[in-house]
Structures are given as C-alpha cells and as structure tokens.
Amino acid sequence: MLNKLFGKKQERKLKENEVKVVLPEEEYGILEWKEDGLPCIAVLNSALKKFEPKAIFSWHLSLIIDFEDIVENGMPSVSEREIVDPFCDKLDEEIKAGGNALFLVRETWNETRRLVWRVYDPEIAHDHLQFILNHHRYPRPFDYHMEQDMEWKQAQWYFDQITT
C-alpha cells in the first residue's frame, strides 16, 4: 500500500510463457528511388532493423490510400497532403495504441500513400480498420492487406537499404 501512495512501481514477475518486449523508440530515415519511372519517397523506422523479438509482431499490415489531387510524377499536391497527412498520423497513433503495432514505413508513389506496420494482434487492427471503413471516417479511399510474416521477409528490402 505504501508503494502505491508514494508512486513506487512494483515489477511484475513474468509467467512461464510470457516475454517482456521493450518497444524501440522510432528512428526515421528517408529512402528515395524510382519505380516504373516514377519517384518513390519513403520514411522508414530504421530502429526496427535490430528489433527483437520480431516474431512477437509477426503480422505485416499494409494500407494504401489513393490520392485525388496530384502534381507531377504522381506526387500529391500541398493541399492533398494537408488532407491525407493528418489522417495518416491519426491512423498511425490508433494502430499502435496499447503497443499492438510498430510503425515500419510510409511510402508516397504513383498517386498513392502506403503505410506499413508490424502487428501483434491482427484482430485488433482489423476491427479498427473495419470500423473506420464502415463508418466512413476517412478523407480518401483506402484498402489494406494483412498477412502473417514470421521472418519479416516483407520488411527485409527496406532494412537492406539502410547503410549504417
């Protein structure tokens, strides 16, 4: 009781099959390349390259948003980014809520924005995205796909681009 009064936390002992995971602080790097002759710009959470245990976040969630107002090379206009970026930021916060997901990458290419997370419990993420879709709480059409990827093979290409 005194520990509660004075704000001291008691460390809970792990059960036999539990694993304590320390979520890494996000570190961002910029990647740029051309695909099908169009520029792609990505913001990568490079802190995940050395993150362990990867198997805890074994689900690969990829979400693609279609832009409406485009400038040259398939990139969004400033006004389009002002509409889509806040939605992406809010969505990122919601998907990661409670430590259920880790942000991996945000790509802009060919009139689309792609957001990717590594997810612990796919049902939580799926249910949240279905709620957003069913209640029309999005500024632009989007679709998503989630599949199990225990070895993080779908993330490996991004990590291979990191030189340090």
Side-chain angles (χ1 to χ4, degrees), residues 125-135 142 144:
H126 172 75
D127 289 349
H128 182 67
L129 292 169
Q130 285 300 301
F131 178 85
I132 291 170
L133 287 168
N134 292 337
H135 293 87
F142 74 88
Y144 70 94

Side-chain angles (χ1 to χ4, degrees), residues 60-138:
H60 188 88
L61 169 58
S62 175
L63 182 143
I64 297 179
I65 299 168
D66 296 318
F67 291 128
E68 290 180 6
D69 188 19
I70 304 301
V71 293
E72 66 182 72
N73 293 321
M75 290 293 162
S77 67
V78 171
S79 61
E80 185 72 3
R81 289 193 318 263
E82 289 172 351
I83 293 168
V84 174
D85 287 354
F87 173 72
C88 292
D89 293 342
K90 184 175 187 291
L91 189 58
D92 180 56
E93 184 180 305
E94 293 168 349
I95 294 293
K96 295 185 310 189
N100 191 51
L102 304 170
F103 167 78
L104 176 63
V105 68
R106 175 178 176 161
E107 291 179 21
T108 303
W109 173 76
N110 194 18
E111 303 182 13
T112 63
R113 166 75 45 81
R114 180 174 182 233
L115 303 168
V116 180
W117 296 270
R118 298 302 308 196
V119 176
Y120 169 68
D121 185 335
E123 287 184 38
I124 293 171
H126 172 75
D127 289 349
H128 182 67
L129 292 169
Q130 285 300 301
F131 178 85
I132 291 170
L133 287 168
N134 292 337
H135 293 87
H136 306 285
R137 295 190 175 182
Y138 50 88

Side-chain angles (χ1 to χ4, degrees), residues 16 22 25 81 112 128 141 164:
E16 185 177 327
V22 177
E25 188 170 327
R81 289 193 318 263
T112 63
H128 182 67
T164 57

